[in-house]
Amino acid sequence: MAEFTVHTVPGSPFARAVLATLEEKSAPYRVAPVAPGATKSPQYLARHPFGRVPVLEHDGFWLYETQAILRYLDRVLPKPALTPADPRRAARMDQAMNINDWYLFQGVGNVIVFHRVVGPRVMGLQPDEAAISAAMPKARTVFSELARLLGGQPFLAGDALSLADLMVAPAVAFFTQTPEWTELGAPHANLVAWLSRMEARPSLKATTWERVAEMAKAA
Ligand SMILES: N[C@@H](CCC(=O)N[C@@H](CS)C(=O)NCC(=O)O)C(=O)O
């Protein structure tokens, strides 16, 4: 199997989902660093017209959009399978992945995590407290819904790890670095325990912001 190249800015939770999936599959990969300001350059936009990370490169095949990348990886690297065979469990996986994209990231992660973690760390910005407060009602809904869907199961789509866990865990993990997590996580012991289990996996340990920054530096 040809090596996979993941083009990304270190720290992206979307890229971490891709890298963690590659780790779970024991696949050969490398990180090709993208500078934070470079995603809107003409050269980068030729690869990803929306100027986002990650982009996957595999034996001449270029692909962007994390869900598409994760499903591609699960098809070309079938073991271990990360999509449930049962249609209803697969539907729950898809649902959680879409909650990640549409509700957890849009208007929640890209506000609270941006203002608390990424902006201060990468751009030296001060948090916008009004924007963070305005994002909290949607954040409460997102975390309560993820906790409801998880219920008493070990993983989001049931008994086995799926692409949903690998996509959602990196996004939720960022919230633990914000003071808002005290309020957002507290009512959902099952979600907090799931995150701890996910963060204990070698695939998540190998793909922290620091580890990806090291891989990018070595590239
Ligand atoms: N829908 C995209 C979202 C990716 C995304 O928003 N990535 C963020 C980093 S976590 C990004 O590229 N931000 C750079 C920018 O907005 O310029 C996907 O699934 O890959």
Side-chain angles (χ1 to χ4, degrees):
M1 177 65 65
E3 188 184 54
F4 296 85
T5 302
V6 181
H7 298 258
T8 191
V9 177
S12 162
F14 288 95
R16 190 178 183 194
V18 171
L19 297 169
T21 299
L22 288 161
E23 288 278 345
E24 293 284 347
K25 303 274 190 184
S26 302
Y29 72 87
R30 69 181 190 93
V31 170
V34 177
T39 52
K40 303 296 182 276
S41 69
Q43 191 188 15
Y44 190 80
L45 290 172
R47 261 179 209 168
H48 192 321
F50 303 100
R52 305 245 157 189
V53 293
V55 174
L56 180 79
E57 182 188 352
H58 180 223
D59 201 18
F61 179 63
W62 290 75
L63 185 64
Y64 66 82
E65 282 307 299
T66 302
Q67 289 205 32
I69 295 171
L70 297 185
R71 290 193 175 89
Y72 174 73
L73 293 177
D74 207 28
R75 287 176 184 124
V76 296
L77 300 165
K79 291 218 172 117
L82 293 173
T83 301
D86 175 72
R88 293 190 179 184
R89 290 189 174 194
R92 289 285 178 229
M93 179 192 88
D94 291 342
Q95 184 179 29
M97 291 168 84
N98 276 292
I99 289 172
N100 181 82
D101 283 1
W102 280 90
Y103 313 116
L104 176 54
F105 184 66
Q106 304 290 345
V108 176
N110 69 350
V111 177
I112 299 173
V113 168
F114 177 78
H115 285 294
R116 287 283 183 232
V117 185
V118 180
R121 184 163 166 178
V122 177
M123 289 162 246
L125 299 174
Q126 289 295 315
D128 181 338
E129 298 295 339
I132 292 168
S133 296
M136 286 298 280
K138 188 173 176 185
R140 286 185 203 102
T141 305
V142 166
F143 286 110
S144 117
E145 190 53 9
L146 286 173
R148 187 187 72 79
L149 290 168
L150 177 64
Q153 309 175 116
F155 298 102
L156 285 167
D159 293 336
L161 180 76
S162 78
L163 297 176
D165 302 290
L166 294 165
M167 182 161 207
V168 176
V172 177
F174 252 137
F175 282 83
T176 63
Q177 299 175 42
T178 74
E180 283 68 29
W181 184 242
T182 310
E183 182 199 323
L184 293 170
H188 308 302
N190 64 336
L191 197 64
V192 172
W194 162 84
L195 182 61
S196 298
R197 292 195 300 277
M198 287 303 298
E199 288 192 301
R201 296 184 78 86
S203 63
L204 271 286
K205 284 184 185 290
T207 55
T208 58
W209 187 331
E210 292 71 25
R211 295 293 301 274
V212 177
E214 281 165 22
M215 288 185 240
K217 213 167 162 187

